[in-house]
Amino acid sequence: MSTIGSTDQINLPDEDNFPKSLANQQFDLTALPSDIIFEIFACLDQVDCLTCMAVCRDWHRTIPRCTRSTWKAIQLDIRDIQLQNKRQICCLGDHVKTVTLDMVEDDKDLFDLMHKLFEWGCTMIESLELKDCVSDDQDKFVDALSKLAPHLTHLTLTDHVSNIGFLHVLNACPKLTHFTYSCAEETEWSFVDHGPTIEKKLSGTEQFPNLVYLCLDVALDPRLRLEPILKSCPNLRFFIGARNDRERYPDEGFSNLYRDTAIDPDVFFKWCPKITHLQTNYSYISPANKFQYIGSDQDGLRYLSLSDLYDMEMIISFMIKHQNTLEYVYLEESDSEIEDAYFSWDDMFEPLRLPQLRVLYSGDGVRYDHSSLLSLMEHSPLLEKLVRLSSSGDAIEDFTLQSFQHTFSFLRLLELCHTHIEVPLMTFLSRFPALEDLSITYSWISLVLAETGQGLNLLKRLYLKSNTWIYTYGKGTPKNLARFLRHLVMHSSQLETVQLITDPNGTETMINSECLKVVADIPTLKICELGLDDTGLSMKNEQETLKQFIILLKDSTKIQKIKLGNLRHLTYDILNELGELEYLTQFDTAPPSASSTNLPRTRLDGSSLLQMLRKTTSLANVNLRSITMGLVEHEFVEFIEQIMQEFPAYNVSWGALEKQKTSSDDKFLCNIVIERY
């Protein structure tokens, strides 16, 4: 028995031989059994639904009934109010559960669209997101929201321009469990301590027992605006507060305000005793540094993010109370400009015992003595990630040789930054036998030829950026890095990702041909990122060295992703060899850093790119940044069209950057992205 979509036993005539008697007949889809019709239409996406509904009245009537699941989630913008697509309206109803309203920049249009959703029968919405929207008239906003609120559990306002009456919004949505608000960049300072003017008054005794997740990424005065919200959420489990954003309000004394009005965390717990994730409004973690932490259903504080705007005695007392449940701790330096703001975390590290701690993250500028940190680590037997271990004037050798006797059996991620390691590095790393991810940046590293790499056989990722490598004879050269890599590779049977980066503004040598040979000889290598420099590889030998490196990769590895940074020239030989890498799926480039006189650019010969695409059988994504080809714009457009005609399996997009004047023509820089469909 054949199934829909199967042609195993069906011989279809070609167009020329197709029987005219059949060609002239109209096929009535509705003659099929109803379950078959349902299955066919259920495969349509939303755009296909609207197209097919225009075929005939039967389809117009049938498709909305068969595609209810397709329309569970919708995204609308101002055009949907202006065009009033009747076919789209027919597909909406109480089966719509998730709605996103995008870039409605006039609050009247926003309120109209929200009322239209109600009129279109979307009365069972469970999740509503407003992206880049304006809702200045809060009375009308709350009124429109209340009509959609009976079943609403998730409300998200991202990059929102308008000030929000948070208590009024929560009161309008009685079943809300998750509320997120992030302000747009142009948020006014007045938002901090003043809510919007709203005619409707609240009793002051409102409670929101269903709310378990609250994210308020906006500067709020803790006493005037935040405290009334927290007092109304007795069952809150996740709280993420606003960024400590002195950059947004450089002249307003933002950090000093918080030091004066910070909410005692113990008082916070009296209001919200079920909190498991506390990210205070004094220590916002930027998205780039944020760990994906979901938490568990267990009670007790699991995730804590604090900055030095709290009093140290308050921090110590609070953390000791919760030390048996804490799994993730993020420490951050504030932006405070108070003269006596120097703050050391030593007094906190010494008395703490964190038996459940899995992640310790110290932000930029966090100060501590390594001996106190060691004390904390030794009493955290389950520690898996130690992020941004840095020096504040002390070298790690102060405790490594004498007191660093403990082996951390669970530590899988270690990040060293601005660290002075005067003891042999491999000896230091041997204390972490389960290490899978190692990052060392801007550090002073000591190497010894005779030391071994035992204990790093589980390492999967290595990230090195702009370090100074000192060998026993005290001279830093690229050979020292190559020696370290060789020691590491000998004992790392699972190494998959290697990233060697040079700071374009630094002076330290990172990469030479010997380093590249070691990397290319890693049989398990899948991802390689190189940030080249002017000292390790000169302009003269860069091309030949990279060519030989890629040839070695082809012979020794199954490399899947390559990124070349600070690259000056993509030659025919390099791209030709890249095209022969059997398993390569992604290739990215980054240009040299900008100088005072020139824009960053990588020179590319168009025939080289064509050759790579002709040879490859695996590449799915190519991202070339700041490319210059010596072409004027119409010549470049013709080249892009040639790629698209010759390689129809790829989608090619490009964007012009700033033009550079030459003596002969207007040439320009561009980014090129090539993606396989």
Side-chain angles (χ1 to χ4, degrees), residues 426-446:
M426 299 304 292
T427 302
F428 172 73
L429 294 177
S430 67
R431 300 299 184 184
F432 312 105
L435 200 62
E436 298 177 3
D437 192 320
L438 173 62
S439 175
I440 307 176
T441 59
Y442 301 103
S443 295
W444 185 277
I445 309 298
S446 174

Side-chain angles (χ1 to χ4, degrees), residues 27 76 555:
F27 176 66
L76 307 175
D555 296 336

Side-chain angles (χ1 to χ4, degrees), residues 113-126:
L113 190 53
M114 294 173 71
H115 284 295
K116 288 293 183 183
L117 281 170
F118 183 79
E119 293 175 7
W120 295 337
C122 303
T123 57
M124 304 286 285
I125 298 173
E126 297 174 356

Side-chain angles (χ1 to χ4, degrees), residues 276-340:
T276 62
H277 180 120
L278 177 57
Q279 195 169 311
T280 69
N281 57 326
Y282 329 110
S283 56
Y284 175 81
I285 302 177
S286 66
N289 295 327
K290 194 179 296 183
F291 275 86
Q292 295 298 319
Y293 184 85
I294 299 177
S296 64
D297 294 331
Q298 297 175 322
D299 294 331
L301 187 62
R302 304 287 165 175
Y303 180 115
L304 178 64
S305 170
L306 291 171
S307 83
D308 55 16
L309 284 173
Y310 279 110
D311 176 81
M312 175 54 72
E313 292 184 1
M314 181 187 298
I315 294 176
I316 294 174
S317 173
F318 179 75
M319 293 193 67
I320 288 178
K321 290 179 182 178
H322 300 279
Q323 63 183 355
N324 291 325
T325 59
L326 279 171
E327 298 178 8
Y328 184 116
V329 174
Y330 183 103
L331 309 177
E332 185 182 35
E333 182 190 35
S334 73
D335 289 329
S336 175
E337 295 180 325
I338 297 176
E339 292 182 0
D340 62 348

Side-chain angles (χ1 to χ4, degrees), residues 367-378:
R367 304 175 181 92
Y368 51 80
D369 178 84
H370 285 112
S371 59
S372 63
L373 175 63
L374 176 61
S375 173
L376 176 62
M377 292 172 60
E378 290 181 341

Side-chain angles (χ1 to χ4, degrees), residues 370 373-374 377 386 389 396-397 399-401 404 406-408 411 414-416 419-433 435 438-440 445-446 451-452 454 456:
H370 285 112
L373 175 63
L374 176 61
M377 292 172 60
L386 180 59
L389 172 61
I396 289 185
E397 56 111 1
F399 64 81
T400 301
L401 291 179
F404 193 56
H406 192 80
T407 297
F408 300 93
L411 197 75
L414 177 64
E415 216 178 89
L416 308 175
T419 303
H420 190 179
I421 305 179
E422 293 188 356
V423 298
L425 178 60
M426 299 304 292
T427 302
F428 172 73
L429 294 177
S430 67
R431 300 299 184 184
F432 312 105
L435 200 62
L438 173 62
S439 175
I440 307 176
I445 309 298
S446 174
E451 62 177 331
T452 66
Q454 293 180 357
L456 294 179

